[in-house]
Amino acid sequence: MKKRTHIPPPLAERLLHRVLRSDLAEEVLGDLEEKFYVTMERKSAWRAKLNYWYQVVNYLRPFAIKKSKRFINSNYTVMFKHNLLLSFRHFMRHKSSFIINLVGLSTGLALTLLIILYARFELSYEADNPLADRIVRITMDYMNGETLTDQDAETYHPMGPRIASEFAEVEDFARARPLNERNFKVGESYFRQSGIFAVDASFFDMFNYQLIHGTSAGLFLNPHEVVLTESVALRYFNKTNVVGETIWMTSPDAAYRVAGVIEDSPANTHLKVNMLISYPTLRATFGEDGENWDNNDLYTYLLLNSAENYELFTQHLAAFSDKIIDEEKIENEIVIAQPIRDIHLYSDKSYELERNGDAASVFILLGVAVLIILMAIANYINLSTSRALDRAKEVGIRKVVGSSVNQLRAQFLTESFLINMASALSAIALVTLSFDWFKYVANLPASFTFLHENFFWIALASFIVGSTLLSGIFPAIILSRFKPAQVLKGKFTHSSKSTLLRKGLVIFQFAITMFLIVQTLIVTKQIGFMRAKDLGANMSNTVVIRTPGGNDGNENIKTFKAELLSRAQFRSATISGCVPGLPTSEMGSTNYVNLVSAVEKQSINFYVNFIDADFVPTMEMEMLAGSNFISGSTNEGKVLVNEESVKMWGLVSPEAAIGEELKFWGRSVTIAGVVKNFHQTTAKSPYIPMIFIFDPGHNKLLSVRLEKGELSAKLETIEKVYASNFSNSQFDFFFLDQKFDEQYKADQQFQEVFGLLTTFAILIACLGLFGLTLFTVAKRTKEIGIRKVLGATVYNIVSLLSRDFMVLIVISMAVALPVTYFLVNDWLQLYAFRIDLSVWYFALPACLVFIIAFGTISIKAFKVSQDNPIDALRDE
C-alpha cells in the first residue's frame, strides 16, 4: 500500500471531533478527507489543506455544534424563552394595561431618579474632602441666662490656636477671615473681587486644595502672599501659571505676590473661595494681631485626631467655655463644635457663609418621590390582580398539563421584570431629556452630570430588582394559587383578599394625591403671603450701587450722591453699610447692649447698621417715636433703634425708649428715634433687633430711588457719574427688590419641585383608576346592555360604574385630611410669619380630587353608556 505523504490538518480534525455533533462527525470527517485527497491530486497539498480548514470553519454553525450536557439537561433556557413569548403575547393582548403600567412606572421612576440625584448632591457637601469626617467648625451660642438668644458661625481669632494647644483630640486648626469685596489693579486694569479669605497655611491641607502652580513649602508664612483660583488667574492674566506676578489691592493699598494657583472650589462646599491671602497679612496691613478676644469675625476649623473623638471633644469643650468665661475672654457665650458635613443642611446660624440648604426639604422630597414610585407599583398590582379571572383558565390548563407553581410564578415575575426593564429604559430617556431643565429648577450646578455616576446606575438596578419583586410577587402568588378543578368548572371567583388589596391600594394612591395637592396649595399660599406682606420698607424703583470704599472712596461717595441728586431723574439717595435683602453678615453685631437704666442686664445679639440721615426716608420706613437723624448735622451721641430692640429691652412703648442711654463698643449714646420693624430678611425669619448709627463716611452702598420714566437712561446716567468719581473701579449695582426677592429662591424651588411631583402623582393615580374602570366596564358590558334594554339612562350607567370608586375616594379623603393637617401645620412652624390654616385649604383640594377621579371614571363610563346594547348582548 502506498504511503500518503500528506494528511488532513490534525488540528482541524481534532476541532471537528470536539465541537461537531456526534451523529454528524463521522460522516463529515469522511467527506472532508475524501475531498482533501481529490484536491491534493488535482491542485496542490497546501491548497488541499487550505480548503480543509475552510470546510471545517464552514461547519461551525449552531445546528451542527455539539450541545453541552448541562445545556441539554436543563429546562431553564427553554422555560425562559417560553415565558418571554407568553409575556409578549400577554402585553400585545392587553395593550391598554401595558401602556398604563409603562407610563406610570417610567414617569414615577424618572421623577424618583431626579429627586435622588438632587438629594445626593445636597448630601454630598464636603464629601470631596478626605478629611471631612475629622473637621469641625467652632461656633458661638449667645445665652441670656439659660435661654439661647442667637447662634453665630464666626468666632474669635485666638480661639483656634488656644483649643489646638489645650486639647489632645485636636491635631491642627485653620482660620478663614472673610474680607469684603475688594478692588485689585493688575497692570492697567481694575477688577472687583469677592470670595476673599485670609487663611492660615494649614488651610490648604485641611481643605484639600492642591496647588496647580507654585509650591507648598513655606507657603503663607509671610504677609502679602496670595493664592488665586484657576478662574481668577485666567480673568486677571489670561493664563494660569502666574506664580511670581504681583496684584495690587486698592483698599488698603498693598501689593501681593502670587504664590500659587489652585483649582476652583467645588460646588458642593460651604466655603467657596476665589482668592486666599496669607493670615500674617492681617497683622501687617489690617491691624489684627490674632490675640483679640473682642472681635469675632472669622471662621475657625479644627482637625481632630480621629472622627471617633468628636463626642469626647464636645464634652471637653463645655468645660473649656466655662474656663474662658472665668478668664473673662467671653461673656454669656458657649463654644460649640459642628461637623462640617452638617453645615450645609443642618446649620442656620448668623453669619453663615452662604444660604444653606434644608435637610427637612430634602428628605420630604425624597419621601414624596418614594411614595410616587409606590403609587406606580400599586397600579401594576391592581391591574394584574384585577385580571385574575381572565388568566384563571390559562393557569388552570397549564397546571393540568403539568406546570408547577414555581413555573407559573416564574412566568408572572418575568412579565413584571420585562415591564420594569422597559420602564427603566423609558425613565433614562426622560431623565436625559429633562435634566437641564431640572438642574435650573433645583438650582443644581451646570457642571452636575449623572451618566458617569455609579450611584445612578446602582439606584436604577436596585429599582429594577425591587420593583420587579414588589410589583410581581403578589400577583404571582395570587395567580399561581388557582385550583385548576374549580377554574375549569367555571366556579372560580375573585378572592376577598385581592379585592381588599385593590381597594386599599386605591385609597393609598388618592390619600397621597390628596396630601400632595394640599401641601402644594399651602406652599403656594405661604410664599404668596410672604411676598405680599408689608415689609416695612419700600424696595421698588431703587438701585443700589457698590462703591469701592477706602480713603478716597469715602470722600467720593458723598460727591457721587450729591451729583446724582442734582438730576431730576433721581428722587432721593442714601449711604449705608447694609440694605434690606442683604445677609446680616454685612452688618456688625454686638451681644451685650443694655439700657443704662436697666436693673437686670441681658445678653442679646443686636445688629448694627451705619447709615446717613437719608436712609429712613429713602427706604420709606416709618418712625414710630422720636425723630430721624438730622441732615447736615454730625448727630453725635445719637442712635436710632427698631421696634424689636424696644421689645427686647422690655420697654412698654416706642415713646418710652426716647432719651434712654445705651453703652456699647465704648460709646455712650442716646436713643433719638424708633423705627417701625422692617424685614431685613424674608418673612421666614423673625424681626431682628437693630441699632442704627449715623456714620456716612465708612460705607460702601449708595441706594438711589428713581423717578418714573425710562430705566435705561437712568442707569446710563448713574454709570457715567460713577465713572467720573471712581475711575479705578468697575460699576456694580443691583435692584433692591430683585435682591430681596432672591431670598425666596429656595422656597420657590421647593414649590416648583413639589408642584411637579404633585402633577405626576395625580397622573399616576388617574392612570390606575382609568385602568380599573376599563376592566370593570369590560366585565359588566353585558349587564350594562341588559340594563339599557330595561330603560337605564346615561346617568344610571355612569352612577353604576362610578359608585364603588367614589366611595373609595371619600375614604381616602377621610384618611388623608387629618394626617395632612398635622403635617402641613408642622411645616408652617418653620416660618416666623405664616398663613392661618383655613378649612378651604383642605376642602378645595378634596373637591378637586373628587372631580378628577369622577372625570377619569366618567370618560369610559359615558362612552359605554352610549354604545348600542345589541352589540353587547350579541356577543353572548
Side-chain angles (χ1 to χ4, degrees):
M1 183 177 178
K2 184 180 178 181
K3 185 178 180 181
R4 298 183 187 275
T5 55
H6 294 282
I7 59 173
L11 180 61
E13 287 184 320
R14 286 199 296 273
L15 178 63
L16 275 182
H17 271 297
R18 183 172 292 277
V19 302
L20 210 59
R21 281 165 40 192
S22 56
D23 59 322
L24 294 176
E26 184 177 355
E27 182 180 353
V28 170
L29 284 168
D31 291 345
L32 290 182
E33 184 177 358
E34 183 180 347
K35 192 170 184 179
F36 172 82
Y37 289 118
V38 171
T39 305
M40 191 174 67
E41 290 174 3
R42 293 179 178 176
K43 298 181 179 178
S44 62
W46 74 270
R47 288 290 298 269
K49 290 182 179 179
L50 183 64
N51 184 63
Y52 193 95
W53 271 109
Y54 172 77
Q55 295 297 333
V56 167
V57 173
N58 200 34
Y59 267 104
L60 298 181
R61 300 180 185 182
F63 79 93
I65 293 176
K66 184 189 301 183
K67 302 293 188 296
S68 70
K69 292 182 180 178
R70 188 178 63 177
F71 191 81
I72 292 171
N73 294 334
S74 173
N75 288 324
Y76 293 143
T77 305
V78 177
M79 284 180 56
F80 183 68
K81 290 180 178 177
H82 183 69
N83 287 340
L84 282 180
L85 182 62
L86 288 177
S87 299
F88 282 120
R89 286 177 178 171
H90 178 73
F91 294 153
M92 294 303 293
R93 191 180 305 122
H94 303 287
K95 294 185 182 68
S96 57
S97 296
F98 175 75
I99 292 172
I100 288 172
N101 283 326
L102 181 65
V103 172
L105 286 170
S106 57
T107 53
L109 176 59
L111 284 171
T112 303
L113 289 172
L114 287 172
I115 297 300
I116 286 175
L117 289 171
Y118 164 74
R120 177 171 169 73
F121 175 77
E122 289 291 304
L123 295 169
S124 72
Y125 266 64
E126 320 301 341
D128 294 338
N129 186 349
L131 299 176
D133 291 338
R134 294 168 52 196
I135 298 177
V136 297
R137 183 176 72 173
I138 297 298
T139 64
M140 307 301 296
D141 279 2
Y142 297 141
M143 308 298 293
N144 184 25
E146 298 298 322
T147 304
L148 176 66
T149 59
D150 204 351
Q151 295 181 301
D152 193 340
E154 294 183 327
T155 56
Y156 303 92
H157 287 253
M159 187 72 77
R162 176 75 182 267
I163 294 177
S165 65
E166 295 189 11
F167 284 77
E169 300 88 356
V170 178
E171 184 175 310
D172 205 350
F173 72 92
R175 294 167 292 185
R177 158 78 191 283
L179 302 178
N180 293 330
E181 281 192 354
R182 303 281 168 174
N183 282 314
F184 287 90
K185 182 182 180 184
V186 181
E188 297 302 320
S189 301
Y190 288 85
F191 301 92
R192 186 188 293 272
Q193 187 63 59
S194 60
I196 310 169
F197 292 86
V199 301
D200 293 299
S202 55
F203 179 88
F204 296 94
D205 291 332
M206 284 179 60
F207 285 89
N208 196 34
Y209 279 109
Q210 306 299 320
L211 291 171
I212 301 173
H213 301 288
T215 176
S216 58
L219 182 66
F220 272 24
L221 297 181
N222 299 307
H224 302 130
E225 291 183 343
V226 62
V227 168
L228 308 179
T229 59
E230 203 170 3
S231 58
V232 171
L234 283 169
R235 180 175 164 230
Y236 285 8
F237 297 98
N238 290 322
K239 60 181 181 181
T240 59
N241 190 0
V242 293
V243 175
E245 298 280 359
T246 300
I247 63 175
W248 283 86
M249 183 185 288
T250 59
S251 176
D253 294 338
Y256 290 79
R257 184 183 71 84
V258 179
V261 177
I262 57 176
E263 290 183 346
D264 292 349
S265 296
N268 56 349
T269 179
H270 79 286
L271 181 53
K272 299 178 177 66
V273 303
N274 293 317
M275 179 185 292
L276 300 171
I277 66 174
S278 55
Y279 188 85
T281 306
L282 295 180
R283 184 178 294 109
T285 303
F286 291 83
E288 176 56 62
D289 61 4
E291 302 296 332
N292 185 3
W293 284 93
D294 294 329
N295 191 18
N296 57 333
D297 60 357
L298 87 171
Y299 302 90
T300 300
Y301 301 90
L302 304 176
L303 178 65
L304 302 181
N305 291 328
S306 168
E308 285 73 27
N309 286 336
Y310 173 72
E311 294 297 333
L312 181 63
F313 172 69
T314 55
Q315 293 172 15
H316 292 167
L317 205 56
F320 176 76
S321 295
D322 295 336
K323 181 178 179 180
I324 59 176
I325 287 174
D326 293 340
E327 295 175 6
E328 298 184 350
K329 303 296 185 186
I330 61 174
E331 186 176 6
N332 297 314
E333 296 175 66
I334 297 176
V335 184
I336 301 295
Q338 180 182 39
I340 63 166
R341 293 293 300 269
D342 291 349
I343 291 175
H344 179 63
L345 289 180
Y346 298 97
S347 185
D348 186 22
K349 303 186 178 187
S350 301
Y351 296 97
E352 292 285 0
L353 281 163
E354 62 179 13
R355 189 174 298 280
N356 288 328
D358 178 21
S361 298
V362 172
F363 289 114
I364 286 174
L365 290 176
L366 266 179
V368 172
V370 171
L371 289 176
I372 287 179
I373 196 65
L374 289 178
M375 288 173 66
I377 292 173
N379 272 353
Y380 183 88
I381 295 173
N382 266 348
L383 293 177
S384 299
T385 55
S386 66
R387 293 195 172 278
L389 197 59
D390 286 348
R391 309 198 69 174
K393 290 182 179 177
E394 171 195 342
V395 173
I397 292 172
R398 291 189 62 183
K399 280 193 168 183
V400 167
V401 299
S403 292
S404 67
V405 171
N406 287 336
Q407 288 172 334
L408 290 170
R409 288 175 179 173
Q411 179 194 334
F412 297 124
L413 285 173
T414 302
E415 290 177 11
S416 175
F417 172 75
L418 289 176
I419 200 163
N420 277 289
M421 276 296 295
S423 302
L425 294 174
S426 303
I428 293 173
L430 289 174
V431 171
T432 304
L433 291 173
S434 62
F435 196 60
D436 287 341
W437 168 81
F438 183 76
K439 283 196 293 188
Y440 170 76
V441 171
N443 198 30
L444 293 173
S447 58
F448 186 63
T449 59
F450 68 95
L451 288 175
H452 68 284
E453 288 277 349
N454 293 333
F455 176 82
F456 174 81
W457 297 108
I458 293 172
L460 187 65
S462 302
F463 161 79
I464 293 172
V465 174
S467 180
T468 298
L469 295 175
L470 280 174
S471 60
I473 202 156
F474 188 79
I477 292 174
I478 293 292
L479 297 175
S480 62
R481 281 182 176 176
F482 293 163
K483 296 179 180 178
Q486 288 184 341
V487 170
L488 297 178
K489 288 178 181 177
K491 295 182 179 179
F492 172 78
T493 58
H494 284 286
S495 73
S496 58
K497 289 183 180 177
S498 60
T499 303
L500 283 175
L501 175 69
R502 281 197 301 280
K503 289 181 178 179
L505 290 176
V506 170
I507 292 171
F508 164 76
Q509 287 181 312
F510 278 90
I512 297 302
T513 304
M514 183 75 194
F515 162 72
L516 292 176
I517 293 177
V518 172
Q519 179 70 44
T520 302
L521 178 63
I522 297 294
V523 172
T524 304
K525 286 289 182 182
Q526 175 62 26
I527 293 176
F529 167 78
M530 290 192 296
R531 284 188 160 159
K533 188 178 185 303
D534 179 12
L535 299 174
N538 184 0
M539 301 177 199
S540 61
N541 293 322
T542 303
V543 175
V544 181
I545 303 103
R546 291 186 183 275
T547 64
N551 295 331
D552 294 336
N554 293 334
E555 294 301 320
N556 290 354
I557 192 171
K558 297 175 185 175
T559 307
F560 179 38
K561 174 185 174 183
E563 289 184 9
L564 288 178
L565 289 179
S566 66
R567 290 166 167 80
Q569 296 168 297
F570 310 108
R571 185 185 305 174
S572 61
T574 179
I575 302 170
S576 63
C578 188
V579 294
L582 291 183
T584 54
S585 59
E586 300 216 12
M587 290 188 287
S589 68
T590 177
N591 66 335
Y592 205 73
V593 182
N594 281 288
L595 300 175
V596 173
S597 61
V599 176
E600 185 177 349
K601 305 299 182 184
Q602 300 184 87
S603 176
I604 299 170
N605 197 35
F606 285 81
Y607 292 87
V608 182
N609 193 7
F610 296 90
I611 63 174
D612 66 6
D614 295 318
F615 184 78
V616 172
T618 299
M619 295 296 168
E620 298 185 7
M621 296 174 178
E622 182 181 348
M623 294 294 299
L624 294 179
S627 59
N628 186 22
F629 291 129
I630 300 171
S631 182
S633 168
T634 60
N635 294 290
E636 186 67 30
K638 295 181 180 178
V639 295
L640 304 181
V641 298
N642 70 342
E643 198 177 353
E644 187 67 12
S645 298
V646 175
K647 179 182 173 184
M648 291 292 174
W649 288 316
L651 298 174
V652 294
S653 66
E655 289 77 10
I658 305 303
E660 288 283 351
E661 187 180 356
L662 300 174
K663 286 187 177 179
F664 67 97
W665 288 354
R667 301 169 184 238
S668 180
V669 295
T670 302
I671 299 175
V674 177
V675 180
K676 185 180 178 181
N677 278 337
F678 65 93
H679 285 282
Q680 177 64 36
T681 57
T682 68
K684 187 174 184 176
S685 304
Y687 293 121
I688 56 175
M690 300 180 69
I691 299 173
F692 302 94
I693 297 177
F694 181 83
D695 189 355
H698 294 84
N699 296 313
K700 298 179 180 179
L701 299 177
L702 179 68
S703 305
V704 183
R705 184 167 295 281
L706 311 177
E707 291 287 359
K708 294 181 180 179
E710 188 181 357
L711 178 62
S712 58
K714 296 184 182 70
L715 290 177
E716 187 177 339
T717 301
I718 294 174
E719 185 172 6
K720 184 177 179 181
V721 177
Y722 181 88
S724 65
N725 286 279
F726 305 103
S727 57
N728 296 334
S729 176
Q730 291 177 317
F731 180 57
D732 184 17
F733 74 97
F734 58 85
F735 291 99
L736 186 58
D737 52 355
Q738 292 179 4
K739 178 64 73 175
F740 195 90
D741 213 43
E742 288 177 4
Q743 299 176 99
Y744 296 111
K745 193 173 182 179
D747 294 305
Q748 186 73 36
Q749 289 164 352
F750 182 74
Q751 178 197 18
E752 291 178 3
V753 174
F754 214 89
L756 177 72
L757 293 173
T758 302
T759 302
F760 280 94
I762 294 172
L763 170 68
I764 292 170
C766 289
L767 278 174
L769 194 59
F770 186 71
L772 289 177
T773 306
L774 289 178
F775 168 76
T776 303
V777 168
K779 292 301 170 191
R780 304 182 73 170
T781 300
K782 298 178 182 61
E783 176 192 346
I784 293 169
I786 294 171
R787 285 178 180 270
K788 290 187 69 174
V789 169
L790 295 176
T793 63
V794 172
Y795 170 79
N796 296 139
I797 301 302
V798 173
S799 175
L800 173 71
L801 294 174
S802 59
R803 188 185 307 128
D804 291 344
F805 289 118
M806 300 318 294
V807 169
L808 297 179
I809 303 301
V810 171
I811 294 174
S812 71
M813 293 177 183
V815 172
L817 287 176
V819 178
T820 304
Y821 173 82
F822 287 108
L823 290 176
V824 297
N825 188 52
D826 189 55
W827 179 79
L828 283 173
Q829 301 309 311
L830 298 174
Y831 293 84
F833 299 89
R834 52 186 175 267
I835 58 174
D836 294 325
L837 288 178
S838 164
V839 66
W840 290 109
Y841 296 155
F842 301 89
L844 288 177
C847 292
L848 181 63
V849 168
F850 199 84
I851 292 171
I852 291 173
F854 184 74
T856 303
I857 299 167
S858 299
I859 291 172
K860 185 64 181 175
F862 182 78
K863 184 177 181 304
V864 75
S865 67
Q866 300 294 312
D867 291 343
N868 189 342
I870 301 300
D871 295 336
L873 298 176
R874 183 185 296 144
D875 291 341
E876 186 67 22

